[in-house]
Amino acid sequence: MSQAAQNTILVTGGAGYIGSHTCKALAAAGYKPVSYDNLIYGHPWAARWGPLEVGDLADRNRLNAVFERFRPAAVMHFAAYAYVGESMNDPGKYYRNNVVGTLSLLEAMRDHDVGQIVFSSTCATYGVPEQELIAEDHPQRPINPYGASKLMVERMLQDFGKAHGLRAIVLRYFNAAGADPDGEIGEAHDPETHLIPLVLDAAAGRRPAVTIFGDDYATTDGTCIRDYIHVTDLAQAHVLGLRALELGAASAAYNLGNGQGFSVRDVVAYAERVTGRPVPTRTGARRPGDPLRLVGSAARIQEELGWRPVHSDLETIIETAWRWSNRGDNSFG
């Protein structure tokens, strides 16, 4: 570690949605983010705040070369497949990429004496909630391979901690949404499965309608309820997690959410208010692996790391996403 560049952070998946926003936050906080991305879902234009190294986590020779060149002080690990429905249909793809790929990364960290990591986990590790507001001590019983793959990585981090002294801050996201308030980066998935950009595409006429997957849930309006958190607030939480590790913090897991749930129809109504346009909808069948309600308590990270979301209301989240989706700049995907 003595030869590491103390402000250099290796960011796997740094050309992706959350990774790129976190690279911007890292640069603003005085760090040098180095993005490592295979560009299957990431975009070169999103890696704007430091070098982009193209490579796959499974490629140990490539990983070793990047570690040797940049000598990072820590890793932020975003690289993963994250489509719940796809994970149900092709679980092997998720275990190979998310679990085996992470094992390759952790072994490279071990071999290059990098002992700190901030890991992008998910509320999908909890499975079906047993309480309205999920805290970190809620049982972790994932109901889809995506959530199971992330839980396996959490276990791997614990085991590498015991065996090799690795310290990890695990951040379990609820629904990341919105776009950079400055309009520099935003969400650009292909295929797009996240509700807010799909709703905004329907409002803009870029798609004929947005499909509501199930309207017969035991909720007020029959649709699923989720907790939406602005991607810039997520990024700031990663910087706080990194700083905690730098100060010697022990490994810990934290939820990242706003503690407030909105149904699919709530999101549609907010989008209509923000855009001033109708959002055509149609109803489809429930998707396998979708819990009825996922809303998280972020009290622990607020108390222990001082995290305070500043873009927490759903209207602001949708406004930033709407500005990004209508930027009119074809150079950005």
Side-chain angles (χ1 to χ4, degrees):
M1 182 63 71
S2 60
Q3 296 181 10
Q6 289 303 317
N7 70 335
T8 299
I9 310 300
L10 183 65
V11 183
T12 71
Y17 173 43
I18 301 173
S20 61
H21 284 79
T22 302
C23 285
K24 179 176 181 177
L26 285 167
Y31 295 96
K32 176 186 176 182
V34 176
S35 295
Y36 186 85
D37 201 300
N38 62 14
L39 299 182
I40 290 176
Y41 294 118
H43 306 280
W45 54 258
R48 304 178 56 178
W49 289 276
L52 170 61
E53 295 289 329
V54 179
D56 196 274
L57 290 179
D59 187 344
R60 272 300 301 275
N61 290 333
R62 183 77 180 106
L63 262 180
N64 286 338
V66 170
F67 272 95
E68 288 166 6
R69 178 181 176 189
F70 292 99
R71 300 190 178 277
V75 170
M76 286 193 179
H77 181 30
F78 298 94
Y81 294 149
Y83 294 116
V84 169
E86 181 184 58
S87 80
M88 300 287 287
N89 295 324
D90 191 0
K93 177 178 179 178
Y94 278 68
Y95 293 124
R96 185 176 305 108
N97 185 75
N98 296 3
V99 179
V100 179
T102 301
L103 177 59
S104 175
L105 173 66
L106 294 181
E107 289 180 333
M109 290 178 65
R110 176 201 63 199
D111 294 347
H112 293 275
D113 196 25
V114 179
Q116 301 175 138
I117 185 171
V118 180
F119 172 56
S120 164
S121 190
T122 172
C123 63
T125 65
Y126 293 120
V128 179
E130 296 178 357
Q131 58 214 44
E132 287 215 350
L133 201 59
I134 300 171
E136 289 85 354
D137 59 358
H138 186 285
Q140 290 179 283
R141 302 188 188 104
I143 61 172
N144 53 65
Y146 165 63
S149 72
K150 290 286 192 173
L151 182 56
M152 287 184 182
V153 173
E154 289 195 24
R155 176 59 188 267
M156 289 161 61
L157 293 172
Q158 295 171 15
D159 291 340
F160 270 69
K162 293 173 184 174
H164 308 298
L166 179 70
R167 287 182 297 120
I169 296 294
V170 171
L171 299 176
R172 297 174 187 150
Y173 309 164
F174 284 72
N175 280 48
D180 172 44
D182 298 328
E184 294 186 289
I185 44 175
E187 198 161 5
H189 295 121
D190 183 18
E192 183 58 76
T193 62
H194 289 178
L195 177 62
I196 288 175
L198 292 175
V199 166
L200 295 179
D201 279 351
R206 289 186 288 266
R207 66 177 62 243
V210 63
T211 301
I212 296 174
F213 293 103
D215 63 354
D216 57 350
Y217 288 93
T219 62
T220 304
D221 61 19
T223 64
C224 284
I225 293 174
R226 295 293 183 266
D227 184 345
Y228 295 91
I229 176 170
H230 197 283
V231 64
T232 297
D233 290 332
L234 280 177
Q236 290 299 329
H238 287 78
V239 175
L240 290 173
L242 174 62
R243 286 177 169 162
L245 290 172
E246 290 175 337
L247 293 172
S251 295
Y254 298 102
N255 284 343
L256 289 179
N258 283 314
Q260 186 175 6
F262 294 93
S263 73
V264 176
R265 293 200 187 278
D266 287 335
V267 172
V268 170
Y270 270 88
E272 290 181 332
R273 188 181 315 160
V274 167
T275 65
R277 304 182 185 191
V279 175
T281 64
R282 58 187 173 216
T283 301
R286 292 187 184 190
R287 293 182 299 193
D290 264 355
L292 174 152
R293 175 187 174 93
L294 285 172
V295 181
S297 168
R300 177 180 291 178
I301 192 170
Q302 290 174 359
E303 178 182 343
E304 296 184 10
L305 301 189
W307 179 65
R308 296 289 183 272
V310 293
H311 307 286
S312 58
D313 62 286
L314 185 59
E315 190 164 339
T316 298
I317 290 171
I318 292 175
E319 282 174 352
T320 61
W322 179 239
R323 288 200 301 271
W324 168 255
S325 71
N326 290 286
R327 61 200 176 278
D329 185 345
N330 292 328
S331 68
F332 294 109

